[in-house]
Amino acid sequence: MDNNGNANANSPSPLERAGERCILITGGAGFIGSHVVRLFVNKYPDYTIVNLDKLTYAGNLENLRDIEHKTNYKFIKGDIVDSDFIHQLFDTYKFSAVIHLAAESHVDRSIASPMEFVTTNIIGTVNLLNAARQLWKPALDTVDSSANLFYHISTDEVYGTLGEHGLFTEKTSYDPHSPYSASKASSDHMVRSYADTYGLPAVITNCSNNYGPFHFPEKLIPLALNNIKNNKSIPVYGKGENIRDWLFVEDHAKAIDLVFHKGKAGQTYNIGGHNEWKNIDLIKLLCSIMDKKLNRTPGTSAKLITFVTDRAGHDLRYAIDASKIKKELGWVPSVRFEEGLEKTVDWYLANESWLNNVTSGNYKQYYEKQYAQR
Ligand code: NAD
Ligand code: TYD
Protein backbone atom coordinates (compact mmCIF):
# COMPACT_ATOMS: atom_id res chain seq x y z
CA MET A 1 0.00 0.00 0.00
CA ASP A 2 1.20 3.52 -0.62
CA ASN A 3 0.52 6.41 1.70
CA ASN A 4 -2.89 6.88 0.18
CA GLY A 5 -3.72 3.27 1.00
CA ASN A 6 -3.41 2.00 -2.58
CA ALA A 7 -1.81 -1.36 -3.25
CA ASN A 8 1.78 -0.80 -4.33
CA ALA A 9 4.16 -3.57 -5.27
CA ASN A 10 7.16 -1.54 -4.10
CA SER A 11 5.87 -0.99 -0.55
CA PRO A 12 7.96 -2.81 1.99
CA SER A 13 5.86 -5.53 3.57
CA PRO A 14 6.35 -5.43 7.33
CA LEU A 15 5.72 -9.14 7.40
CA GLU A 16 8.81 -9.81 5.36
CA ARG A 17 10.80 -9.03 8.48
CA ALA A 18 10.74 -12.27 10.41
CA GLY A 19 9.75 -12.28 14.04
CA GLU A 20 8.13 -8.86 13.99
CA ARG A 21 4.68 -7.96 15.17
CA CYS A 22 2.78 -5.67 12.87
CA ILE A 23 0.49 -3.44 14.90
CA LEU A 24 -2.14 -1.12 13.52
CA ILE A 25 -2.57 2.12 15.44
CA THR A 26 -5.51 4.19 14.21
CA GLY A 27 -5.69 7.94 14.78
CA GLY A 28 -1.94 8.11 15.35
CA ALA A 29 -1.66 11.62 13.92
CA GLY A 30 -3.97 13.01 16.59
CA PHE A 31 -3.16 14.22 20.08
CA ILE A 32 -3.05 11.01 22.14
CA GLY A 33 -2.36 8.75 19.16
CA SER A 34 0.86 10.58 18.31
CA HIS A 35 2.18 10.00 21.84
CA VAL A 36 1.25 6.31 21.63
CA VAL A 37 2.86 5.90 18.20
CA ARG A 38 6.04 7.63 19.40
CA LEU A 39 6.26 5.44 22.50
CA PHE A 40 5.72 2.19 20.59
CA VAL A 41 8.02 3.05 17.67
CA ASN A 42 10.87 4.03 20.01
CA LYS A 43 10.37 1.36 22.66
CA TYR A 44 9.70 -1.62 20.40
CA PRO A 45 12.07 -1.63 17.44
CA ASP A 46 10.99 -5.20 16.67
CA TYR A 47 7.40 -4.14 16.09
CA THR A 48 6.25 -2.53 12.88
CA ILE A 49 3.84 0.24 13.68
CA VAL A 50 1.37 1.17 10.97
CA ASN A 51 -0.32 4.48 11.70
CA LEU A 52 -3.63 4.76 9.86
CA ASP A 53 -5.13 8.22 9.96
CA LYS A 54 -7.57 10.14 7.77
CA LEU A 55 -5.87 13.44 8.65
CA THR A 56 -9.05 15.25 9.55
CA TYR A 57 -8.63 18.76 10.97
CA ALA A 58 -7.33 17.03 14.14
CA GLY A 59 -4.71 14.87 12.43
CA ASN A 60 -1.33 16.48 12.04
CA LEU A 61 1.79 14.67 10.84
CA GLU A 62 3.95 17.42 12.32
CA ASN A 63 3.17 15.68 15.63
CA LEU A 64 5.34 12.75 14.50
CA ARG A 65 8.17 14.52 12.72
CA ASP A 66 10.78 13.08 15.11
CA ILE A 67 9.94 9.45 14.35
CA GLU A 68 8.70 9.54 10.77
CA HIS A 69 11.95 8.18 9.32
CA LYS A 70 12.23 5.21 11.66
CA THR A 71 12.30 1.95 9.74
CA ASN A 72 9.69 0.31 11.97
CA TYR A 73 7.15 3.09 11.30
CA LYS A 74 4.76 3.48 8.42
CA PHE A 75 2.05 6.07 7.88
CA ILE A 76 -1.01 5.37 5.76
CA LYS A 77 -3.65 7.97 5.01
CA GLY A 78 -7.08 6.41 5.03
CA ASP A 79 -10.59 6.42 6.43
CA ILE A 80 -11.78 3.76 8.88
CA VAL A 81 -15.31 4.31 7.57
CA ASP A 82 -14.32 2.88 4.16
CA SER A 83 -14.86 -0.83 4.72
CA ASP A 84 -13.34 -2.06 1.42
CA PHE A 85 -10.20 -0.09 2.12
CA ILE A 86 -10.01 -1.44 5.68
CA HIS A 87 -10.41 -5.06 4.57
CA GLN A 88 -7.73 -4.57 1.91
CA LEU A 89 -5.41 -3.03 4.49
CA PHE A 90 -5.80 -5.96 6.91
CA ASP A 91 -5.31 -8.36 4.04
CA THR A 92 -2.05 -6.66 3.07
CA TYR A 93 -0.52 -6.17 6.48
CA LYS A 94 -1.96 -9.10 8.45
CA PHE A 95 -1.91 -7.08 11.66
CA SER A 96 -1.51 -9.10 14.81
CA ALA A 97 -3.05 -6.37 16.95
CA VAL A 98 -4.98 -3.12 16.70
CA ILE A 99 -4.82 -0.12 19.00
CA HIS A 100 -7.82 1.94 17.98
CA LEU A 101 -7.76 5.66 18.76
CA ALA A 102 -9.19 7.21 15.59
CA ALA A 103 -12.29 9.16 16.45
CA GLU A 104 -14.06 12.45 16.26
CA SER A 105 -13.22 13.66 19.75
CA HIS A 106 -14.60 17.11 20.48
CA VAL A 107 -17.90 17.40 22.39
CA ASP A 108 -18.77 20.86 21.00
CA ARG A 109 -18.33 19.62 17.41
CA SER A 110 -20.54 16.62 18.22
CA ILE A 111 -23.29 18.98 19.33
CA ALA A 112 -23.00 20.96 16.07
CA SER A 113 -22.57 17.97 13.79
CA PRO A 114 -23.44 14.57 15.33
CA MET A 115 -23.47 12.50 12.13
CA GLU A 116 -19.68 12.53 11.66
CA PHE A 117 -19.42 11.09 15.18
CA VAL A 118 -21.83 8.31 14.29
CA THR A 119 -19.97 7.40 11.12
CA THR A 120 -16.38 7.57 12.37
CA ASN A 121 -16.83 6.47 15.97
CA ILE A 122 -19.43 3.75 15.47
CA ILE A 123 -19.30 2.57 11.85
CA GLY A 124 -15.52 3.04 11.64
CA THR A 125 -15.05 0.93 14.77
CA VAL A 126 -17.33 -1.81 13.45
CA ASN A 127 -15.38 -1.87 10.16
CA LEU A 128 -12.18 -2.46 12.12
CA LEU A 129 -13.84 -5.15 14.24
CA ASN A 130 -15.07 -6.95 11.11
CA ALA A 131 -11.66 -6.83 9.47
CA ALA A 132 -9.90 -8.07 12.62
CA ARG A 133 -12.45 -10.84 13.07
CA GLN A 134 -12.05 -11.99 9.48
CA LEU A 135 -8.25 -11.94 9.63
CA TRP A 136 -7.99 -13.63 13.01
CA LYS A 137 -10.87 -16.09 12.55
CA PRO A 138 -8.72 -19.18 11.93
CA ALA A 139 -6.75 -18.48 15.10
CA LEU A 140 -9.89 -17.71 17.09
CA ASP A 141 -11.51 -20.98 16.04
CA THR A 142 -8.58 -23.28 16.60
CA VAL A 143 -5.73 -22.15 18.77
CA ASP A 144 -4.88 -19.88 21.63
CA SER A 145 -5.61 -16.38 20.32
CA SER A 146 -3.36 -14.54 22.76
CA ALA A 147 -1.21 -13.33 19.85
CA ASN A 148 -4.07 -11.10 18.74
CA LEU A 149 -5.65 -8.15 20.47
CA PHE A 150 -8.19 -5.49 19.55
CA TYR A 151 -7.51 -2.63 21.95
CA HIS A 152 -10.21 0.04 21.93
CA ILE A 153 -9.37 3.41 23.48
CA SER A 154 -12.38 5.03 25.09
CA THR A 155 -13.36 7.78 27.46
CA ASP A 156 -14.81 8.22 30.93
CA GLU A 157 -17.53 10.36 29.34
CA VAL A 158 -19.50 7.18 28.51
CA TYR A 159 -20.41 6.98 32.22
CA GLY A 160 -22.26 10.29 32.11
CA THR A 161 -21.93 12.69 34.98
CA LEU A 162 -21.18 12.46 38.69
CA GLY A 163 -22.67 14.60 41.42
CA GLU A 164 -20.43 16.07 44.09
CA HIS A 165 -19.35 12.65 45.37
CA GLY A 166 -18.33 9.28 44.00
CA LEU A 167 -16.06 8.00 41.25
CA PHE A 168 -16.55 6.12 37.98
CA THR A 169 -15.57 2.46 38.32
CA GLU A 170 -15.50 -0.16 35.58
CA LYS A 171 -18.93 -1.28 36.86
CA THR A 172 -20.60 2.14 36.57
CA SER A 173 -23.54 1.96 34.15
CA TYR A 174 -23.20 3.78 30.88
CA ASP A 175 -25.21 7.02 30.73
CA PRO A 176 -23.76 9.21 27.97
CA HIS A 177 -25.21 12.68 27.37
CA SER A 178 -23.42 14.22 24.40
CA PRO A 179 -23.43 12.86 20.84
CA TYR A 180 -19.66 12.35 21.31
CA SER A 181 -20.01 10.26 24.46
CA ALA A 182 -23.03 8.41 23.05
CA SER A 183 -21.03 7.47 19.95
CA LYS A 184 -18.08 6.30 22.10
CA ALA A 185 -20.46 4.32 24.35
CA SER A 186 -21.94 2.70 21.27
CA SER A 187 -18.50 1.76 19.95
CA ASP A 188 -17.57 0.29 23.36
CA HIS A 189 -20.73 -1.84 23.26
CA MET A 190 -19.88 -3.04 19.76
CA VAL A 191 -16.38 -4.03 20.85
CA ARG A 192 -17.77 -6.00 23.83
CA SER A 193 -20.38 -7.61 21.62
CA TYR A 194 -17.66 -8.89 19.24
CA ALA A 195 -15.73 -10.25 22.21
CA ASP A 196 -18.80 -12.00 23.64
CA THR A 197 -20.31 -13.19 20.36
CA TYR A 198 -17.30 -14.06 18.24
CA GLY A 199 -14.60 -14.54 20.85
CA LEU A 200 -12.60 -11.57 19.53
CA PRO A 201 -9.81 -10.87 22.05
CA ALA A 202 -10.57 -7.29 23.01
CA VAL A 203 -9.73 -4.89 25.77
CA ILE A 204 -11.15 -1.42 26.47
CA THR A 205 -9.76 1.43 28.54
CA ASN A 206 -11.81 4.44 29.59
CA CYS A 207 -9.64 7.41 30.37
CA SER A 208 -10.23 10.83 31.88
CA ASN A 209 -9.30 14.18 30.24
CA ASN A 210 -5.76 14.28 28.86
CA TYR A 211 -3.53 17.33 28.52
CA GLY A 212 -0.04 17.92 27.17
CA PRO A 213 1.91 18.76 24.01
CA PHE A 214 0.22 18.45 20.58
CA HIS A 215 -3.27 19.01 22.03
CA PHE A 216 -5.46 20.68 19.41
CA PRO A 217 -6.34 24.21 20.57
CA GLU A 218 -10.10 23.67 20.54
CA LYS A 219 -9.92 21.82 23.88
CA LEU A 220 -9.92 23.76 27.14
CA ILE A 221 -6.24 23.81 28.16
CA PRO A 222 -4.56 24.55 24.79
CA LEU A 223 -7.37 26.93 23.83
CA ALA A 224 -6.87 28.89 27.05
CA LEU A 225 -3.07 28.96 26.60
CA ASN A 226 -3.36 30.13 23.01
CA ASN A 227 -5.87 32.84 23.89
CA ILE A 228 -3.86 34.07 26.88
CA LYS A 229 -0.77 34.29 24.70
CA ASN A 230 -2.69 36.31 22.09
CA ASN A 231 -4.55 38.47 24.63
CA LYS A 232 -7.88 37.05 23.52
CA SER A 233 -10.80 36.30 25.83
CA ILE A 234 -10.93 32.88 27.50
CA PRO A 235 -14.45 31.47 27.14
CA VAL A 236 -15.62 29.73 30.32
CA TYR A 237 -18.85 27.79 29.89
CA GLY A 238 -21.56 28.54 32.45
CA LYS A 239 -20.07 29.41 35.83
CA GLY A 240 -16.92 27.36 35.31
CA GLU A 241 -17.99 24.95 38.04
CA ASN A 242 -17.76 21.77 36.00
CA ILE A 243 -15.06 19.38 37.14
CA ARG A 244 -12.69 17.29 35.07
CA ASP A 245 -10.00 14.78 36.16
CA TRP A 246 -6.81 15.68 34.25
CA LEU A 247 -4.06 13.25 33.23
CA PHE A 248 -0.77 14.04 31.50
CA VAL A 249 -0.92 12.47 28.04
CA GLU A 250 2.39 10.60 28.39
CA ASP A 251 0.99 8.84 31.45
CA HIS A 252 -1.98 7.75 29.34
CA ALA A 253 0.38 6.44 26.64
CA LYS A 254 2.30 4.47 29.28
CA ALA A 255 -0.94 3.00 30.60
CA ILE A 256 -1.88 1.97 27.06
CA ASP A 257 1.51 0.27 26.66
CA LEU A 258 0.96 -1.61 29.92
CA VAL A 259 -2.60 -2.68 29.13
CA PHE A 260 -1.56 -3.71 25.62
CA HIS A 261 1.13 -6.02 26.99
CA LYS A 262 -0.27 -7.11 30.35
CA GLY A 263 -4.01 -6.46 30.29
CA LYS A 264 -6.41 -9.38 30.07
CA ALA A 265 -8.58 -9.80 26.98
CA GLY A 266 -12.24 -9.30 27.85
CA GLN A 267 -11.42 -6.73 30.52
CA THR A 268 -12.07 -3.02 30.91
CA TYR A 269 -9.68 -0.74 32.79
CA ASN A 270 -10.37 2.83 33.90
CA ILE A 271 -7.44 5.26 33.65
CA GLY A 272 -7.44 8.59 35.48
CA GLY A 273 -5.28 11.21 37.08
CA HIS A 274 -6.73 11.40 40.63
CA ASN A 275 -6.62 15.06 39.77
CA GLU A 276 -9.95 16.86 39.83
CA TRP A 277 -10.15 20.53 38.93
CA LYS A 278 -13.04 22.95 38.63
CA ASN A 279 -12.69 24.58 35.20
CA ILE A 280 -12.53 28.07 36.65
CA ASP A 281 -9.80 27.15 39.14
CA LEU A 282 -7.79 25.46 36.41
CA ILE A 283 -8.09 28.49 34.15
CA LYS A 284 -7.04 30.84 36.95
CA LEU A 285 -4.00 28.61 37.55
CA LEU A 286 -3.13 28.71 33.84
CA CYS A 287 -3.48 32.50 33.89
CA SER A 288 -1.07 32.84 36.81
CA ILE A 289 1.49 30.49 35.22
CA MET A 290 1.26 32.44 31.96
CA ASP A 291 1.63 35.79 33.77
CA LYS A 292 4.94 34.54 35.17
CA LYS A 293 6.16 33.03 31.89
CA LEU A 294 5.25 36.11 29.87
CA ASN A 295 6.49 38.57 32.51
CA ARG A 296 3.04 40.09 32.90
CA THR A 297 1.86 41.80 36.07
CA PRO A 298 0.05 39.22 38.25
CA GLY A 299 -3.68 39.27 37.43
CA THR A 300 -3.24 40.47 33.83
CA SER A 301 -4.23 37.22 32.08
CA ALA A 302 -7.15 36.52 34.45
CA LYS A 303 -8.81 39.68 33.09
CA LEU A 304 -9.32 37.72 29.85
CA ILE A 305 -11.70 35.25 31.55
CA THR A 306 -15.16 35.61 30.01
CA PHE A 307 -18.19 33.64 31.15
CA VAL A 308 -20.22 32.48 28.15
CA THR A 309 -23.40 30.47 27.57
CA ASP A 310 -23.07 26.97 28.96
CA ARG A 311 -22.54 23.93 26.73
CA ALA A 312 -25.82 22.05 26.09
CA GLY A 313 -26.03 18.89 28.22
CA HIS A 314 -22.81 19.86 30.00
CA ASP A 315 -21.74 17.03 32.34
CA LEU A 316 -21.01 18.41 35.81
CA ARG A 317 -18.23 16.18 37.05
CA TYR A 318 -15.98 13.37 35.83
CA ALA A 319 -13.65 11.51 38.19
CA ILE A 320 -12.06 8.11 37.77
CA ASP A 321 -11.47 5.32 40.23
CA ALA A 322 -8.27 3.86 38.76
CA SER A 323 -7.74 1.27 41.49
CA LYS A 324 -8.25 -1.74 39.19
CA ILE A 325 -5.41 -0.85 36.82
CA LYS A 326 -3.24 -0.01 39.84
CA LYS A 327 -3.98 -3.27 41.63
CA GLU A 328 -3.88 -5.60 38.62
CA LEU A 329 -1.22 -3.98 36.44
CA GLY A 330 0.63 -1.65 38.78
CA TRP A 331 -0.12 1.56 36.86
CA VAL A 332 -0.24 4.91 38.63
CA PRO A 333 0.21 8.36 37.10
CA SER A 334 3.85 9.41 37.28
CA VAL A 335 3.64 13.11 36.41
CA ARG A 336 2.40 15.52 39.09
CA PHE A 337 -0.08 18.09 37.76
CA GLU A 338 2.16 21.10 38.49
CA GLU A 339 5.00 19.41 36.62
CA GLY A 340 2.78 18.34 33.69
CA LEU A 341 1.23 21.79 33.36
CA GLU A 342 4.63 23.45 33.45
CA LYS A 343 5.87 21.10 30.70
CA THR A 344 2.73 21.79 28.69
CA VAL A 345 2.93 25.56 29.01
CA ASP A 346 6.64 25.52 28.12
CA TRP A 347 5.93 23.30 25.12
CA TYR A 348 3.23 25.64 23.77
CA LEU A 349 5.44 28.68 24.27
CA ALA A 350 8.42 26.96 22.60
CA ASN A 351 6.38 25.61 19.70
CA GLU A 352 4.77 28.75 18.41
CA SER A 353 5.07 27.62 14.80
CA TRP A 354 3.14 24.38 15.56
CA LEU A 355 0.39 26.45 17.16
CA ASN A 356 0.38 28.99 14.33
CA ASN A 357 0.28 26.23 11.70
CA VAL A 358 -2.62 24.57 13.45
CA THR A 359 -4.62 27.74 13.95
CA SER A 360 -3.98 28.93 10.37
CA GLY A 361 -4.59 25.52 8.77
CA ASN A 362 -1.05 25.44 7.31
CA TYR A 363 -0.29 22.11 8.94
CA LYS A 364 -2.13 20.35 6.13
CA GLN A 365 0.69 21.37 3.80
CA TYR A 366 3.08 19.20 5.78
CA TYR A 367 1.36 16.05 4.55
CA GLU A 368 1.40 17.31 0.96
CA LYS A 369 5.15 17.96 1.17
CA GLN A 370 6.20 14.85 3.08
CA TYR A 371 3.92 12.13 1.80
CA ALA A 372 1.52 12.84 -1.01
CA GLN A 373 4.13 12.97 -3.77
CA ARG A 374 6.26 10.02 -2.70
P1 NAD B 1 -7.85 13.76 18.28
O1 NAD B 1 -9.12 14.39 17.77
O2 NAD B 1 -6.72 14.63 18.64
O3 NAD B 1 -7.31 12.72 17.19
C1 NAD B 1 -8.16 11.86 16.48
C2 NAD B 1 -7.38 11.34 15.28
O4 NAD B 1 -8.26 10.42 14.57
C3 NAD B 1 -6.97 12.42 14.29
O5 NAD B 1 -5.63 12.24 13.91
C4 NAD B 1 -7.90 12.21 13.10
O6 NAD B 1 -7.33 12.59 11.86
C5 NAD B 1 -8.15 10.72 13.17
N1 NAD B 1 -9.42 10.34 12.53
C6 NAD B 1 -10.62 10.93 12.72
N2 NAD B 1 -11.55 10.33 11.93
C7 NAD B 1 -10.91 9.34 11.26
C8 NAD B 1 -11.35 8.38 10.32
N3 NAD B 1 -12.62 8.34 9.88
N4 NAD B 1 -10.45 7.50 9.83
C9 NAD B 1 -9.14 7.55 10.26
N5 NAD B 1 -8.68 8.46 11.13
C10 NAD B 1 -9.57 9.34 11.63
O7 NAD B 1 -8.31 12.83 19.48
P2 NAD B 1 -7.54 12.47 20.82
O8 NAD B 1 -7.85 13.48 21.84
O9 NAD B 1 -6.14 12.13 20.51
O10 NAD B 1 -8.32 11.13 21.22
C11 NAD B 1 -7.89 9.87 20.73
C12 NAD B 1 -8.81 8.79 21.26
O11 NAD B 1 -8.79 8.81 22.69
C13 NAD B 1 -10.28 8.97 20.87
O12 NAD B 1 -10.82 7.71 20.60
C14 NAD B 1 -10.91 9.59 22.10
O13 NAD B 1 -12.29 9.24 22.18
C15 NAD B 1 -10.11 8.94 23.19
N6 NAD B 1 -9.98 9.72 24.45
C16 NAD B 1 -9.58 11.03 24.42
C17 NAD B 1 -9.42 11.73 25.61
C18 NAD B 1 -8.93 13.15 25.63
O14 NAD B 1 -8.86 13.76 26.70
N7 NAD B 1 -8.52 13.73 24.50
C19 NAD B 1 -9.69 11.09 26.83
C20 NAD B 1 -10.10 9.75 26.81
C21 NAD B 1 -10.23 9.08 25.61
P1 TYD C 1 -12.98 19.97 26.71
O1 TYD C 1 -11.53 20.31 26.71
O2 TYD C 1 -13.79 20.26 25.49
O3 TYD C 1 -13.09 18.44 27.11
P2 TYD C 1 -14.41 17.56 27.52
O4 TYD C 1 -15.62 18.30 27.10
O5 TYD C 1 -14.21 16.34 26.69
O6 TYD C 1 -14.31 17.34 28.98
O7 TYD C 1 -13.67 20.73 27.92
C1 TYD C 1 -13.19 20.58 29.24
C2 TYD C 1 -14.10 21.37 30.15
O8 TYD C 1 -13.93 22.76 29.86
C3 TYD C 1 -15.57 21.09 29.94
O9 TYD C 1 -16.24 21.17 31.19
C4 TYD C 1 -16.05 22.20 29.04
C5 TYD C 1 -15.16 23.36 29.45
N1 TYD C 1 -14.81 24.34 28.39
C6 TYD C 1 -14.97 25.71 28.63
O10 TYD C 1 -15.40 26.13 29.71
N2 TYD C 1 -14.59 26.56 27.64
C7 TYD C 1 -14.11 26.15 26.44
O11 TYD C 1 -13.80 27.00 25.56
C8 TYD C 1 -13.95 24.74 26.22
C9 TYD C 1 -13.42 24.24 24.90
C10 TYD C 1 -14.32 23.88 27.23
Side-chain angles (χ1 to χ4, degrees), residues 153-215:
I153 307 299
S154 193
T155 166
D156 60 355
E157 303 192 23
V158 296
Y159 298 124
T161 188
L162 292 163
E164 270 177 50
H165 305 289
L167 299 171
F168 295 134
T169 73
E170 289 80 0
K171 293 199 169 79
T172 303
S173 300
Y174 277 30
D175 183 23
H177 297 129
S178 72
Y180 164 66
S181 54
S183 69
K184 290 297 290 187
S186 179
S187 63
D188 292 8
H189 289 318
M190 290 308 296
V191 173
R192 285 197 187 98
S193 78
Y194 272 60
D196 294 344
T197 308
Y198 308 115
L200 192 82
V203 70
I204 300 178
T205 49
N206 297 86
C207 187
S208 63
N209 286 61
N210 286 212
Y211 71 97
F214 302 114
H215 206 180

Side-chain angles (χ1 to χ4, degrees), residues 32 48 88 99 120 170 185 191 194 197 230 236 248 256 278 299 319 363:
I32 302 170
T48 294
Q88 203 193 352
I99 305 178
T120 286
E170 289 80 0
V191 173
Y194 272 60
T197 308
N230 294 311
V236 177
F248 192 56
I256 290 172
K278 253 186 202 173
Y363 62 112

Side-chain angles (χ1 to χ4, degrees), residues 105-108 157 180 209 218-221 223 235-237 242 244 246 279 283 311 314-315 318:
S105 69
H106 189 38
V107 173
D108 294 327
E157 303 192 23
Y180 164 66
N209 286 61
E218 64 184 355
K219 306 275 170 67
L220 181 67
I221 289 181
L223 179 108
V236 177
Y237 299 163
N242 304 68
R244 297 293 181 262
W246 294 95
N279 290 340
I283 289 172
R311 173 187 278 172
H314 197 172
D315 287 332
Y318 302 145

Side-chain angles (χ1 to χ4, degrees), residues 79-211:
D79 188 345
I80 59 170
V81 177
D82 180 344
S83 93
D84 289 345
F85 161 76
I86 291 297
H87 277 283
Q88 203 193 352
L89 188 77
F90 275 68
D91 204 35
T92 305
Y93 284 90
K94 311 270 189 289
F95 303 114
S96 62
V98 176
I99 305 178
H100 174 38
L101 296 108
E104 287 294 337
S105 69
H106 189 38
V107 173
D108 294 327
R109 285 182 191 254
S110 83
I111 294 168
S113 177
M115 194 51 91
E116 279 167 62
F117 288 70
V118 172
T119 52
T120 286
N121 297 1
I122 307 175
I123 296 171
T125 300
V126 175
N127 281 337
L128 292 165
L129 288 167
N130 282 337
R133 185 185 161 220
Q134 185 172 312
L135 178 65
W136 301 339
K137 195 166 188 305
L140 303 186
D141 287 347
T142 53
V143 292
D144 169 29
S145 60
S146 60
N148 301 126
L149 184 67
F150 191 101
Y151 183 177
H152 179 61
I153 307 299
S154 193
T155 166
D156 60 355
E157 303 192 23
V158 296
Y159 298 124
T161 188
L162 292 163
E164 270 177 50
H165 305 289
L167 299 171
F168 295 134
T169 73
E170 289 80 0
K171 293 199 169 79
T172 303
S173 300
Y174 277 30
D175 183 23
H177 297 129
S178 72
Y180 164 66
S181 54
S183 69
K184 290 297 290 187
S186 179
S187 63
D188 292 8
H189 289 318
M190 290 308 296
V191 173
R192 285 197 187 98
S193 78
Y194 272 60
D196 294 344
T197 308
Y198 308 115
L200 192 82
V203 70
I204 300 178
T205 49
N206 297 86
C207 187
S208 63
N209 286 61
N210 286 212
Y211 71 97

